[in-house]
Amino acid sequence: MTRPWQIGFGVVLTALAGFVDALGFIRLGGLYTSLMSGNTTQLAVALGHGEPLGAVLPALLIGAFLVGAVSGGAIAALCPPRWVTPAVLGLEAVALTAAVALAAEHAHVGVASLFLALAMGGQNAVLAHVQGFRAGTTFVTGALFAFGQKAALALAGRGPRLGWVGDGSVWLSLLVGAVAGTLAHAHLGIAALAIPAVVAAGLCLAATLFTLVYRRAPVTLTKI
């Protein structure tokens, strides 16, 4: 897969993660479906306050994310390299579709949030690095740090003048995706979950077609 396609996939996937996380945050009252550091803190606070019931959902979300990460990693390890990207995106699309179905049936995220977390865990097996910066992951703390580092090197004249652009674009794509998710929820409610499911399915189809058309070149993006 060519570098422009890698970058495009990475930006869209990161925005999708922001979209899903915003929806989860709104519906779950401060918990996340992709940022597990926040859920780990929530889990620790609940346990520290002696509130085991309050620790259940953060723990389940972390567990679902881990299941998704293991599943995505297993697919990446077992699939022929050229089919890794469409296969992992297929897993993500199925998990997001299941979340949509469950949310529509019960009119709240509830169990659906676990499928969102599973999808986000799997997504991290699709992309890792694109020519020196992280893209397509569901967290951007590392990208933000790298952005600061590379900006400092550029200002000091010790690094490429535009070396920070890639990491900055990753952070910005998560921000834009989260804003879009918030606006979509305001207008569509829980039905907004259908948007990331359609996007993931579209990316899966695009990756599949790319693999079939360019049979001589590996389609898989750099794995974690």
Side-chain angles (χ1 to χ4, degrees):
M1 182 173 282
T2 62
R3 186 170 186 267
W5 276 91
Q6 289 180 319
I7 294 172
F9 266 61
V11 168
V12 173
L13 284 170
T14 304
L16 185 147
F19 192 107
V20 169
D21 216 38
L23 291 179
F25 184 88
I26 293 168
R27 301 295 294 202
L28 297 175
L31 293 174
Y32 303 91
T33 51
S34 71
L35 301 178
M36 293 302 117
S37 56
N39 288 341
T40 301
T41 300
Q42 295 274 25
L43 172 63
V45 170
L47 293 175
H49 285 166
E51 300 172 356
L53 291 180
V56 171
L57 186 53
L60 289 175
L61 288 168
I62 293 169
F65 185 92
L66 181 59
V67 169
V70 171
S71 300
I75 291 173
L78 297 175
C79 274
R82 60 185 298 103
W83 287 105
V84 169
T85 296
V88 176
L89 286 173
L91 168 69
E92 181 173 358
V94 168
L96 290 173
T97 301
V100 172
L102 287 167
E105 180 180 353
H106 299 291
H108 59 78
V109 173
V111 178
S113 65
L114 301 182
F115 283 90
L116 296 178
L118 189 151
M120 294 298 97
Q123 177 174 306
N124 289 284
V126 179
L127 277 168
H129 292 83
V130 179
Q131 296 276 321
F133 63 91
R134 292 186 68 85
T137 58
T138 61
F139 45 88
V140 295
T141 302
L144 194 59
F145 176 73
F147 168 79
Q149 272 195 323
K150 292 174 184 177
L153 290 174
L155 289 172
R158 299 179 58 187
R161 291 197 329 184
L162 299 178
W164 49 268
V165 170
D167 294 292
S169 66
V170 171
W171 175 82
L172 185 61
S173 64
L174 187 86
L175 175 65
V176 171
V179 171
T182 302
L183 294 174
H185 181 269
H187 289 87
L188 302 174
I190 200 64
L193 277 176
I195 296 174
V198 170
V199 171
L203 290 176
C204 177
L205 178 60
T208 300
L209 293 176
F210 198 101
T211 301
L212 293 173
V213 172
Y214 298 94
R215 300 185 65 87
R216 293 184 180 180
V219 72
T220 182
L221 309 179
T222 308
K223 296 184 290 182
I224 291 177

